[in-house]
Amino acid sequence: MRTIYVDNNATTRVDPEVLREMLPYFSEYYGNPSSMHHFGGQVMEAVNRAREKVAHLIGADPSEILFTSCGTESDNTAILAAIQSYPEKRHLVTTRVEHPAVLNLCKHLMKQGYRVTELPVNREGLLDLDQLRDAVTPYTAVVSVMFANNETGVIFPVNEIAGIVKEKGSVFHCDAVQAAGKIPMDMSRNQIDLLSISGHKLHAPKGVGALYIRRGTRFRPFLIGGHQEHGRRGGTENIPSIIGLGKACELAGEHLIEENTKVRALRDRLEKGLLEKVPRTWLNGHPALRLPNTTNLSFEYIEGEAILLLMSKEGIAASSGSACTSGSLEPSHVLRAMGVPFTGAHGSIRFSLSRFNTDEDIDVILEKVPAIIARLRELSPYWKRQEKSLRSI
Ligand code: PLP
């Protein structure tokens, strides 16, 4: 059975070109970039070329790129660096819809005596910027707001937010794990201090990420050890994956227009088709201020897990809530923060596409999913009660 993979916000396929570029660094060029000999030196040169490619994708200088092991490490490094750099400031501001890589770190810091303000979002998943402005005080060490949400794809106006935060004298960290490579960003034209990227969300392998650190931003290493990464992260570098991340960023830059035309058109056809074919279904998140690859739909009166299971039997791989929260039957923290009605919060499915999806994939989804929903609703006592009360009106 062919797999129709529409779970690209959970992880992506490594692009074959990325893999090809990585392979020699396992078998031929396996030197340690810190070694003095030519064998290490040529690896260091390759790492620096990869750094240039990552920097180029986001309009940064290569010296502002730190390689990490994942998006979570980038998020943790950024926030901990900011609070350690300003020990007199014991307050953080974030949002209720961040990834657990930020939210759970904030909870951990609260146990250590930090005060954390979690900003609410509205029904479309958007922030109130006046509320954000009011929340930042002279005691706020760092404000952490994501570029785009992993569950709904909703995009926050992070350039504007950066301006507000800098005016107030705080550090601004932005989790761009879902946005990097999908929408343009240019660090030379904004005031973001720290920005997180993860390889496996943009067709590089798992286990590699990057943190952008604006020149002049105070910094403390998270991993304390050797002098690697100019003393900003101890540990021998994961060379093949760094090479892969560089290539993936280069390709992401080349495919940016396609992401915003072809992928967006496929996503829109999928979304429109399901909204038309399946009654009692709605979109979660702002319809326009959204990543081009993501749609999050609520199918009322059924469980997302059951939908996923039946879709999986048909070879369709999607997600309910975020990948990290699926498996629990609680509606995701993002949908709860948006106030998505209970009747649809449980039956929410996230479809997230990539440049590897085709028109045929969408045809299959539009053929199979409405039948799956109808079948599950037949079994749902809530749906039957609802049907009966509608008929009696
Ligand atoms: N931030 C966001 C918005 C994410 O979607 C994810 C992963 O889903 C992460 C951070 C964590 O990234 P990683 O899996 O590379 O640790």
Side-chain angles (χ1 to χ4, degrees), residues 218-238:
R218 287 196 206 170
F219 187 75
R220 299 277 192 284
F222 178 54
L223 286 188
I224 297 168
H227 55 271
Q228 290 89 352
E229 293 292 278
H230 303 285
R232 296 186 295 187
R233 182 182 187 267
T236 302
E237 299 88 340
N238 177 357

Side-chain angles (χ1 to χ4, degrees), residues 9 70-72 75 99 101 146 148 150 175 177-178 198 200-201 324:
N9 287 9
C70 58
T72 301
D75 287 344
H99 188 271
M146 64 200 333
N150 43 307
D175 176 343
V177 164
Q178 290 294 343
S198 172
H200 72 108
K201 310 290 185 180
C324 308

Side-chain angles (χ1 to χ4, degrees), residues 66 72-85 105 142 144 171-174 193-196 211-213 217-220 222:
L66 170 71
T72 301
E73 186 192 322
S74 298
D75 287 344
N76 275 237
T77 302
I79 293 171
L80 293 174
I83 61 172
Q84 284 168 21
S85 298
L105 175 64
V142 56
S144 181
V171 172
F172 182 49
H173 165 247
C174 177
D193 296 307
L194 300 155
L195 179 121
S196 304
L211 178 65
Y212 161 84
I213 308 165
T217 305
R218 287 196 206 170
F219 187 75
R220 299 277 192 284
F222 178 54

Side-chain angles (χ1 to χ4, degrees), residues 233-252:
R233 182 182 187 267
T236 302
E237 299 88 340
N238 177 357
I239 302 302
S241 295
I242 287 173
I243 302 302
L245 178 60
K247 184 67 184 173
C249 286
E250 181 182 290
L251 293 174

